[in-house]
Amino acid sequence: MTVFHMDLDNTILYSYKRDIGPDKVNVEIYNGREISFVTKRTCEMLEKLNRRLLLVPTTTRTVEQYERIHLPIGTPKYALVCNGGILLVDGEEDQSWYEESLFLISDARTELEKAYAVLKEEKRREFELRFIRELFLFTKCSEPEAVVDRLRNKLDAGLVKAFHNGSKVYVIPNILEKGQAVKRLKNYFLEKGSDKKEYDGRKVIAAGDSEFDISMLNAADLAIAPKELRTNGYLSEKTVFMSGKAVFSEELLQFVLKLCYNGHK
């Protein structure tokens, strides 16, 4: 079965702050508030694709944040959270995957601890400093670009990457990227006797909207991204850019459905 790695936030679902039109469905509630939505058309297409592809949510969200989401397809068989550091199988953590993730980032441990010390004393920090499952660092800061520049000057870029998404600031081991998770999951399937026959020779499709997703897009046989990422020189020729004439989730899912109808393998 073809595997479809799909980022979630701003790829499949959207914050309440984003206008995606009136025909939408709530998929996430936090502290009693409806905070994330998908369009009704997205729901319909996800249900169709779920019968044809192996849908694998692939997100930087933590386990707790991911579990707040309730998509119309129910609990996916597989999900990659914490930027691929944790694999959920039928909603349960695969402990061996997590232990392997900790081993893979062991060379970056000193740099993560150094970044933690810097961010702990950072006066522009506006949120608690989180060491997410001992995998990567997260916080929020005013003047995030300046904070990231400071981190980059102090850290080994060969081991960790510091960057921001709005006010959110991250320090993540280079090995802990979505593209690496895509490769690891392929090996995971091939090593499992019952899944090998289904997976052998099949394609990997990926869709994402941001810097977090570039490695995943490049690891796929076919990648789908919004036109805003076209100017990113790191994306491979395998990437198809959507026009932006409709909500990205609807454009990309319609594109994948057409591939299925045309017999894409």
Side-chain angles (χ1 to χ4, degrees):
M1 180 177 288
T2 298
V3 179
F4 181 22
H5 286 272
M6 54 184 193
D7 173 52
L8 293 176
D9 294 277
N10 298 313
T11 297
I12 297 298
L13 56 91
Y14 298 89
S15 162
Y16 68 94
K17 298 177 182 178
R18 172 79 177 271
D19 181 11
I20 57 173
D23 294 328
K24 60 186 180 181
V25 177
N26 174 247
V27 293
E28 181 181 12
I29 296 176
Y30 181 60
N31 288 338
R33 295 169 48 241
E34 296 181 343
I35 64 170
S36 295
F37 296 83
V38 298
T39 67
K40 287 185 178 180
R41 189 159 175 252
T42 294
C43 284
E44 295 167 359
M45 289 189 285
L46 279 174
E47 290 171 342
K48 291 178 181 178
L49 285 172
N50 196 40
R51 296 191 289 268
R52 292 173 172 266
L53 307 175
L54 179 61
L55 305 185
V56 182
T58 306
T59 177
T60 308
R61 283 182 175 237
T62 65
V63 175
E64 295 76 17
Q65 291 169 336
Y66 171 75
E67 289 177 341
R68 296 200 302 254
I69 298 172
H70 298 283
L71 294 173
I73 57 175
T75 301
K77 175 69 176 177
Y78 301 99
L80 288 161
V81 301
C82 291
N83 225 47
I86 293 177
L87 172 67
L88 302 179
V89 182
D90 293 321
E92 299 295 327
E93 290 189 34
D94 185 303
Q95 187 61 27
S96 62
W97 181 284
Y98 175 57
E99 291 173 356
E100 182 181 46
S101 296
L102 292 176
F103 174 76
L104 288 172
I105 70 164
S106 57
D107 288 347
R109 175 69 56 180
T110 299
E111 294 302 301
L112 288 172
E113 292 173 352
K114 189 187 301 182
Y116 188 95
V118 171
L119 287 170
K120 186 176 180 181
E121 302 301 323
E122 175 57 62
K123 295 181 179 180
R124 290 164 290 195
R125 185 163 56 84
E126 301 178 326
F127 189 73
E128 64 182 313
L129 177 56
R130 296 179 179 175
F131 198 168
I132 307 296
R133 296 295 295 272
E134 299 184 34
L135 294 170
F136 64 91
L137 299 177
F138 166 78
T139 189
K140 295 180 183 179
C141 298
S142 64
E143 302 179 39
E145 290 186 10
V147 173
V148 167
D149 284 343
R150 183 182 178 213
L151 286 166
R152 288 174 177 171
N153 288 331
K154 292 180 176 293
L155 302 175
D156 184 347
L159 293 173
V160 297
K161 182 177 183 181
F163 57 97
H164 74 94
N165 185 2
S167 64
K168 298 175 181 177
V169 174
Y170 299 84
V171 181
I172 300 181
N174 293 343
I175 194 67
L176 190 72
E177 59 179 11
K178 291 184 179 183
Q180 178 70 14
V182 169
K183 297 171 186 176
R184 288 176 65 190
L185 190 64
K186 181 176 182 178
N187 290 332
Y188 176 93
F189 288 145
L190 293 176
E191 291 169 0
K192 291 174 65 68
S194 59
D195 291 338
K196 183 175 181 179
K197 186 176 180 181
E198 287 188 357
Y199 191 86
D200 275 356
R202 302 298 179 175
K203 300 292 184 181
V204 173
I205 302 173
D209 73 294
S210 72
E211 182 178 359
F212 283 102
D213 305 310
I214 290 173
S215 64
M216 175 177 72
L217 296 172
N218 287 338
D221 298 298
L222 174 66
I224 307 164
K227 66 177 183 178
E228 290 78 10
L229 283 186
R230 186 185 293 275
T231 56
N232 190 302
Y234 298 106
L235 286 170
S236 76
E237 68 281 356
K238 297 178 292 185
T239 307
V240 177
F241 297 95
M242 298 293 98
S243 69
K245 294 179 180 179
V247 177
F248 179 50
S249 64
E250 294 184 354
E251 277 199 299
L252 78 89
L253 294 177
Q254 183 63 47
F255 180 81
V256 177
L257 273 173
K258 286 182 179 179
L259 291 178
C260 291
Y261 292 148
N262 292 333
H264 177 79
K265 299 294 185 181

